Amino acid sequence: MSGTTTAAAALRRRAAGAGANRWVVLVVLCVSLLLVALDATVLHVAVPAVTEDLKPGAIELLWIVDVYPLVCASLLILFGTLGDRVGRRRILLLGYGLFGVASGLAALAHDAQVLILARALLGVGGAMIMPATLSILRQVFPDRRERAVAIGVWSAVAAVGAAVGPLLGGFLLEHFWWGSVFLVNIPLMLISLPIGRLLLPESRGDRNGPWDVVGALMAAGGLFGVVFGVKRLGGGEPVESGWTVAPLLVGAVLLVLFVRRQRRRTHPLVDLKMFRRPAFSTSVGCIVLAMLALVGLELIAAQYLQLVLRLSPLQTGLRLLPLTFAAMAAGLFGARMLRRFGPRRMVCFGFCLTAFSVLTLTAMGERDNTGLLLFGFLLLGFGLEMTLFGAYESMLSEAPPAQAGGAAAIGETSYQLGAGIGIALLGSVMNAAYAPGLSSVPGVPASASASAGHSLGEAYDVAGRLGGERGAALRDAARHAFVHGLHVTLLVSAGLLLLGAVMALRLPRIMQCEVPAAAVGVPAPREVAESRISA
């Protein structure tokens, strides 16, 4: 029996890997992911240099920063499902090429409009690369135990890329001009293209029926509108603004029409029946909740470190590194934990551990407490990665191999939407708790207090203009109000995380490691045994 099972597993690996060493394939996929993760954060430290050189307006600067994640999030479903149809490796290699060309265009941009266009093209390339890496990984590792290890390495690389981006950007800016943060992508792309073409196996999903072009455009337009509106809310724009409400409404309508269209079609772009599987829908919900609770919190924490504790950007990045190291450790050990504890307990415990770390950080005050921050960030990184690892692994394992690209795109879209909604929601909570503390500062005019209530950075500017005792009083009041707002935001975040822990109870209790052979197009173990007997 064990020999038959081993033979079937070997056949599955050969069919999925097309002769390529699957662990070498994993390395190539991780390099792809590293590039996309780096580009999402490497520009953050270069914004002042870009502003000084290109002199963009306020709206142009906003688009320079936001157009990459906005375009990427909007096109994930389009390119994820297109890869299922025309070939995932083909889409990935095209994404490599476009990413390299767009990086060169961004590095040599001579005005803000060209840089915005280049960043948009980078978003298109990122949308081609991200779901392709996960869907190819799903095909190359049909055995769930090995796939769990691969996803752990994949997620650890994502954590490294997000953390290294600002540090790499800072290093390049100290020695070169701001365009160097984009040029670093080109040599990696020149290496990845031929290696990927040589080593990556081609795989496709269900090719029955025509590809739903109209549905793909509806999904892209709907996601663009929703993500754009959410980002404006997260940026502090008023809810009643037409540029906020209109995109949200149009995007929501398009997404509703997209869902209705997919339900009616014989060969849908995205098989919505996947959401009937409790493990799949619950995993997607856990990804949204985890990002919703923590991405906005990370932004606020960076402001706390720089504006309250007065740390430099480099010191702030170094303080946040323990979070990244803990996430890497959880990713690398995640497969072992998943096998031992199962998806339900792993994701639930990850949520609870993250909530505990968030509650621990409510002890942060106006003075630096290095030990508390180190302890809290270590628990935060480990718990968050446990949660995301277990949710991603369960989601991919529940999706049929033929729908791997669509499933990966849904997971990445959930990640992006959760992050955007989290920034808007927790930012609103923060502002609601922060502003009242500045409504009546003794000796400070009402107009100055109102301006200071917009943000801590603006409060410092107003205090500097006032000067003297009034400026000092406003500065102290703003700092105290910000810390109070941070505590309230942490409590709300902890509540969302505990809600996620309750949601995770719908996940399977144990890790089912038997992969149906028919799902990857090879004979089942019994058929292998019968063929041996007949032979």
Side-chain angles (χ1 to χ4, degrees):
M1 180 69 182
S2 61
T4 301
T5 305
T6 303
L11 281 171
R12 289 196 296 269
R13 284 196 292 267
R14 283 198 297 271
N21 186 304
R22 56 195 181 282
W23 299 107
V24 176
V25 169
L26 176 63
V27 172
V28 178
L29 295 178
C30 285
V31 171
S32 310
L33 176 67
L34 183 64
L35 284 169
V36 178
L38 277 172
D39 215 73
T41 57
V42 73
L43 184 65
H44 292 176
V45 294
V47 167
V50 171
T51 303
E52 182 179 353
D53 187 19
L54 300 184
K55 303 293 189 298
I59 301 298
E60 290 175 329
L61 182 61
L62 184 66
W63 277 103
I64 287 171
V65 175
D66 285 345
V67 72
Y68 173 82
L70 180 62
V71 171
C72 186
S74 304
L75 298 178
L76 285 167
I77 288 179
L78 189 154
F79 285 117
T81 55
L82 182 62
D84 287 339
R85 299 292 304 217
V86 305
R88 292 147 186 161
R89 186 188 70 163
R90 180 177 298 174
I91 294 296
L92 181 64
L93 295 179
L94 288 173
Y96 283 168
L98 181 58
F99 210 83
V101 171
S103 296
L105 182 62
L108 302 176
H110 54 81
D111 57 39
Q113 291 79 14
V114 174
L115 184 55
I116 291 171
L117 173 62
R119 290 277 289 168
L121 291 176
L122 282 168
V124 177
M128 299 172 80
I129 292 171
M130 284 297 288
T133 60
L134 267 180
S135 54
I136 292 175
L137 187 149
R138 173 70 175 85
Q139 289 297 124
V140 172
F141 291 92
D143 181 79
R144 188 170 182 179
R145 291 185 182 90
E146 290 187 345
R147 184 165 64 247
V149 175
I151 292 175
V153 175
W154 183 90
S155 58
V157 169
V160 171
V164 169
L167 297 177
L168 176 63
F171 172 80
L172 291 172
L173 286 172
E174 285 187 4
H175 298 86
F176 309 100
W177 92 113
W178 61 264
S180 61
V181 302
F182 297 108
L183 280 183
V184 72
N185 295 331
I186 296 178
L188 292 174
M189 285 291 99
L190 291 175
I191 296 172
S192 298
L193 262 172
I195 292 179
R197 182 176 177 82
L198 178 66
L199 296 179
L200 292 178
E202 184 61 280
S203 63
R204 294 179 177 86
D206 185 5
R207 303 181 69 179
N208 295 328
W211 186 59
D212 186 8
V213 179
V214 175
L217 295 176
M218 289 171 66
L223 287 170
F224 186 93
V226 169
V227 175
F228 179 74
V230 165
K231 281 186 173 292
R232 283 184 59 85
L233 289 175
E237 298 294 332
V239 180
E240 64 275 9
S241 169
W243 284 101
T244 302
V245 174
L248 281 172
L249 289 178
V250 172
V253 169
L254 284 173
L255 289 179
V256 169
L257 294 176
F258 169 75
V259 170
R260 294 182 61 184
R261 179 181 177 85
Q262 298 310 297
R263 286 178 174 173
R264 292 197 305 264
R265 289 184 65 85
T266 306
H267 302 288
L269 186 71
V270 176
D271 187 3
L272 298 179
K273 293 178 182 177
M274 289 190 293
F275 284 94
R276 297 178 185 174
R277 304 183 181 192
F280 185 88
S281 57
T282 301
S283 297
V284 171
C286 287
I287 292 170
V288 172
L289 260 181
M291 298 312 300
L292 189 153
L294 288 161
V295 168
L297 181 61
E298 183 179 347
L299 182 65
I300 295 168
Q303 295 178 14
Y304 168 79
L305 292 173
Q306 293 186 59
L307 297 177
V308 176
L309 300 186
R310 295 297 195 176
L311 300 180
S312 69
L314 180 59
Q315 290 172 323
T316 300
L318 293 174
R319 285 293 184 94
L320 293 173
L321 276 182
L323 190 151
T324 303
F325 291 145
M328 289 170 55
L332 295 175
F333 290 102
R336 186 178 301 175
M337 290 188 289
L338 189 64
R339 289 196 301 269
R340 182 170 182 178
F341 301 113
R344 181 189 300 174
R345 281 186 287 181
M346 181 174 177
V347 176
C348 187
F349 179 74
F351 269 121
C352 291
L353 181 62
T354 311
F356 174 74
S357 69
V358 167
L359 291 174
T360 300
L361 291 173
T362 57
M364 292 187 302
E366 296 179 36
R367 294 185 177 181
D368 194 0
N369 189 332
T370 306
L372 174 69
L373 292 176
L374 176 63
F375 179 72
F377 287 159
L378 284 173
L379 291 184
L380 187 65
F382 197 87
L384 174 62
E385 185 60 27
M386 280 184 67
T387 302
L388 291 176
F389 175 90
Y392 265 109
E393 198 283 333
S394 296
M395 181 199 70
L396 276 181
S397 296
E398 281 295 313
Q403 290 280 331
I410 289 171
E412 292 299 323
T413 303
S414 304
Y415 186 101
Q416 297 286 347
L417 282 176
I421 295 171
I423 291 173
L425 175 63
L426 296 186
S428 299
V429 171
M430 179 70 191
N431 290 335
Y434 164 76
L438 299 175
S439 58
S440 58
V441 181
V444 177
S447 59
S449 294
S451 298
H454 295 154
S455 69
L456 183 57
E458 193 165 345
Y460 284 169
D461 291 339
V462 173
R465 290 195 297 268
L466 288 175
E469 293 183 359
R470 294 189 304 170
L474 179 61
R475 189 179 293 106
D476 291 341
R479 191 182 299 111
H480 180 74
F482 185 89
V483 172
H484 169 71
L486 176 60
H487 291 166
V488 173
T489 306
L490 287 168
L491 292 174
V492 172
S493 180
L496 293 171
L497 291 165
L498 292 175
L499 178 63
V502 174
M503 179 186 293
L505 295 176
R506 297 183 69 233
L507 290 172
R509 186 175 61 85
I510 61 174
M511 180 181 176
Q512 299 287 347
C513 293
E514 288 295 323
V515 181
V520 290
V522 298
R526 180 177 297 177
E527 294 170 347
V528 173
E530 290 174 354
S531 66
R532 283 184 171 183
I533 293 172
S534 63

